[in-house]
Amino acid sequence: TVTVTRAFLCRAAGGIFAVPVSAVKATFEVRRESLQASQGDRVLRRGDVLLTILALAGVLSGDRATPFPESFPALVYQVGRRTYALGVEEILGEEPIVVKPLRHPLELLPQYAGAAILNDGQIALIVDPVNLTRTSRPA
């Protein structure tokens, strides 16, 4: 099946990834100096909410210690009662995309919800933030 959804197109780890707008609560700019370490995570207090900050490039490479740039955009989302922000190199914009299912063996990777062919012919993997977070957390 093929569906259309709105997504944020983001640059990270040398590629372009799509994050469904429906999964994102907000976007904002993060300054690296505002991050703090807590139990092996990098966190940021934003109002009354404590956000766990994950670098998309680091999650994809399996390196949770990936350094953040001095300033970077982040997409805020919820997993259960915890709030996370996915740090990316750049948010390229928001647009409708056609979601195409992944085939074996990529369909076995829960962090991806499909793929989209962009207007310029590039392929963007669609990130499922909830499953991305679950697969990136140590057991």
Side-chain angles (χ1 to χ4, degrees), residues 76-94:
V76 178
Y77 61 98
Q78 196 91 28
V79 178
R81 296 187 333 190
R82 288 189 68 181
T83 305
Y84 293 86
L86 192 60
V88 297
E89 294 166 20
E90 180 182 8
I91 297 175
L92 302 170
E94 177 188 332

Side-chain angles (χ1 to χ4, degrees), residues 87-107:
V88 297
E89 294 166 20
E90 180 182 8
I91 297 175
L92 302 170
E94 177 188 332
E95 65 182 64
I97 59 170
V98 176
V99 179
K100 299 187 180 234
L102 296 173
R103 296 209 172 136
H104 190 75
L106 290 177
E107 69 183 355

Side-chain angles (χ1 to χ4, degrees), residues 36-53:
Q36 300 173 1
S38 174
Q39 299 178 355
D41 288 327
R42 288 171 279 186
V43 298
L44 168 70
R45 182 155 300 281
R46 191 163 184 248
D48 293 340
V49 178
L50 184 66
L51 299 161
T52 300
I53 311 293

Side-chain angles (χ1 to χ4, degrees), residues 56-64 66:
L56 179 56
V59 173
L60 295 174
S61 70
D63 181 7
R64 293 181 67 213
T66 296

